[in-house]
């Protein structure tokens, strides 16, 4: 019999990308019969008004500690979830192994989407050694070794355009755009293409994945809103702002030195420097992506994404 997700349970659904996923699931038409959020007591308090809004849109909520096996087991039981979506943050990635173990043990969970929504962690022979990939690789290793009953799909989206365009204060040379100063920082000659996803499109692709269970089971789906070069992004900013921008180019080798330095100093921004280097090196390019598998309509264009960035971007989004 064909499987259709009916009762969905989300971990990390209050987070940066989780908020787009939760909102997209709640807005999906036709509606999913049951969507439940598992959230921590701290977030339940801190984001009470957002959670109340989602509840009025049909969300059920379970408050618990995702590092407590008893809480997770009880959430699987009370929600009778057949599909679990994890969007936990980097600090919570390792806890997914227990979430997966309990899912396999449950009688109800059939399908699990681990927290990925980013760079392809099995792209090439350098991927196994990239520091930011280690915990996600560990989760995939556990899944391959231990999961027999539960099906898994990884939604691999590449960089969020919304975040990639932002410069990090003091780390401008790693890349980004500052509309208020009409300044851009670009790696190398800016011609190397990058496959991006906008954050709203991540939500659309997760919904699209749930609509295509059989085609998605066991796969790492590479999905992208658009594939463009930094120079094309710059041209779009210049067009939409009607001005010529000042451009600083960072050689790839300088980005690599910055990356090494940040790791050596234990600076948490090292992760972002490594990912920006991987993206600049072509780590989001495929002979063919998996957009066709999901057949998602209404994806954002580069013009849409720059327009959105110019009015405040993801930081101004409401759910
Ligand atoms: N492609 C890109 O450009 C890009 C950018 C950023 C992130 N990502 C990926 O997206 C995924 C989610 O990241 P995010 O930045 O959206 O996450 P986040 O906002 O840091 O956290 C998401 C949620 O995870 C839950 N959580 C529970 N225990 C946690 C723990 N120990 N540490 C951290 N979070 C915990 C929290 O929800 P509750 O309190 O409600 O339980 C939190 O709100 C990750 O896999 C990340 O690598 C990709």
């Amino acid at each position: 019999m064909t499987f259709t997700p009916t009762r969905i349970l989300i971990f990390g659904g209050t987070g940066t990308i989780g908020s787009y996923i939760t909102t997209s699931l709640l807005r999906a038409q036709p509606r999913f019969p049951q969507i439940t959020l598992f959230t921590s007591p701290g977030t339940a308090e801190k984001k009470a008004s957002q959670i109340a809004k989602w509840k009025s849109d049909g969300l059920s909520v379970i408050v618990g500690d995702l590092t407590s096996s008893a809480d997770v087991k009880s959430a699987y039981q009370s929600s009778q979830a057949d599909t679990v979506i994890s969007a936990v943050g980097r600090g919570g990635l390792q806890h997914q192994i227990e979430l997966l173990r309990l899912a396999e043990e449950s009688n109800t969970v059939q399908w699990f989407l681990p927290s990925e929504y980013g760079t392809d962690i099995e792209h090439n022979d350098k991927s196994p050694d990239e520091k930011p990939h280690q915990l996600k690789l560990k989760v995939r290793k556990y899944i391959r070794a231990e999961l027999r009953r539960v099906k898994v799909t990884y939604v691999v989206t590449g960089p969020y355009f919304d975040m990639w365009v932002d410069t990090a204060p003091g780390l401008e040379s790693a890349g980004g755009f500052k509309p208020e100063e009409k300044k851009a920082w670009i790696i190398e000659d800016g011609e190397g293409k990058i496959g991006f996803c906008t954050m709203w499109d991540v939500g659309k692709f997760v919904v699209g994945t749930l609509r295509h269970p059989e085609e998605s089971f066991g796969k790492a789906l590479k999905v992208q809103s658009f594939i463009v070069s930094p120079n094309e992004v710059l041209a779009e900013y210049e067009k939409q702002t009607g001005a010529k921008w000042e451009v600083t180019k960072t050689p790839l080798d300088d980005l690599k030195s910055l990356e090494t330095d940040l790791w050596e100093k234990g600076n948490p921004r090292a992760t972002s420097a490594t990912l920006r280097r991987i993206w600049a090196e072509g780590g989001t390019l495929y002979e063919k992506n998996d957009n066709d598998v999901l057949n998602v309509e209404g994806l954002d264009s580069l013009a849409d994404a720059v327009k959105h960035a110019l009015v405040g971007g993801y930081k101004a989004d409401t759910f």
Side-chain angles (χ1 to χ4, degrees), residues 152-228:
V152 169
T153 301
Y154 309 104
V155 180
V156 174
T157 60
Y160 307 153
F161 183 83
D162 320 48
M163 289 188 169
W164 178 86
V165 292
D166 278 356
T167 50
L171 286 185
E172 286 80 1
S173 62
F177 296 76
K178 262 193 200 168
E180 60 285 7
E181 296 174 25
K182 309 266 184 313
K183 283 184 182 168
W185 286 263
I186 277 174
I187 308 304
E188 283 282 295
D189 63 359
E191 286 299 311
K193 299 229 182 219
I194 302 178
F196 292 103
C197 232
T198 66
M199 293 170 82
W200 279 116
D201 283 354
V202 173
K204 289 179 205 149
F205 281 125
V206 171
V207 171
T209 302
L210 296 198
R211 302 285 191 214
H212 295 83
E214 305 296 330
E215 298 92 325
S216 303
F217 285 162
K219 292 205 181 114
L221 295 172
K222 284 95 173 179
V223 291
Q224 300 171 314
S225 302
F226 46 80
I227 306 160
V228 295

Side-chain angles (χ1 to χ4, degrees), residues 278-300:
I278 292 172
W279 303 331
E281 282 178 333
T284 62
L285 303 177
Y286 310 101
E287 253 174 50
K288 191 178 179 310
N289 63 27
D290 295 306
N291 282 23
D292 290 356
V293 176
L294 302 184
N295 205 17
V296 171
E297 286 178 357
L299 293 175
D300 289 322

Side-chain angles (χ1 to χ4, degrees), residues 10-19 21 37-44 46-47 51 64-67 86-96 114-119 132 136 157-161 163-164 197 199 202 275 279:
I10 317 167
F11 292 99
T14 58
T16 310
I17 202 58
S19 297
I21 294 173
L37 170 76
F38 183 102
T39 188
S40 61
T43 300
K46 206 171 68 202
K47 298 197 175 171
I51 291 171
D65 173 3
L66 70 72
T67 65
S86 169
V88 297
R90 284 194 167 272
L93 292 176
Q94 76 277 15
H95 300 308
Q96 295 181 110
S115 184
E116 288 254 347
Y117 322 110
T119 308
K136 290 185 181 178
T157 60
Y160 307 153
F161 183 83
M163 289 188 169
W164 178 86
C197 232
M199 293 170 82
V202 173
L275 294 172
W279 303 331

Side-chain angles (χ1 to χ4, degrees), residues 193-265:
K193 299 229 182 219
I194 302 178
F196 292 103
C197 232
T198 66
M199 293 170 82
W200 279 116
D201 283 354
V202 173
K204 289 179 205 149
F205 281 125
V206 171
V207 171
T209 302
L210 296 198
R211 302 285 191 214
H212 295 83
E214 305 296 330
E215 298 92 325
S216 303
F217 285 162
K219 292 205 181 114
L221 295 172
K222 284 95 173 179
V223 291
Q224 300 171 314
S225 302
F226 46 80
I227 306 160
V228 295
S229 69
N231 287 342
E232 288 172 283
V233 177
L234 172 67
E236 188 60 36
Y237 268 106
E238 289 185 333
K239 185 175 157 200
Q240 292 197 25
T241 57
K244 198 86 193 140
W245 284 37
E246 187 187 320
V247 181
T248 306
K249 290 194 168 143
T250 304
L252 188 57
D253 281 342
D254 288 6
L255 176 58
K256 286 180 184 168
S257 305
L258 174 69
E259 180 192 350
T260 308
D261 189 49
L262 292 170
W263 282 111
E264 276 171 9
K265 289 185 175 139

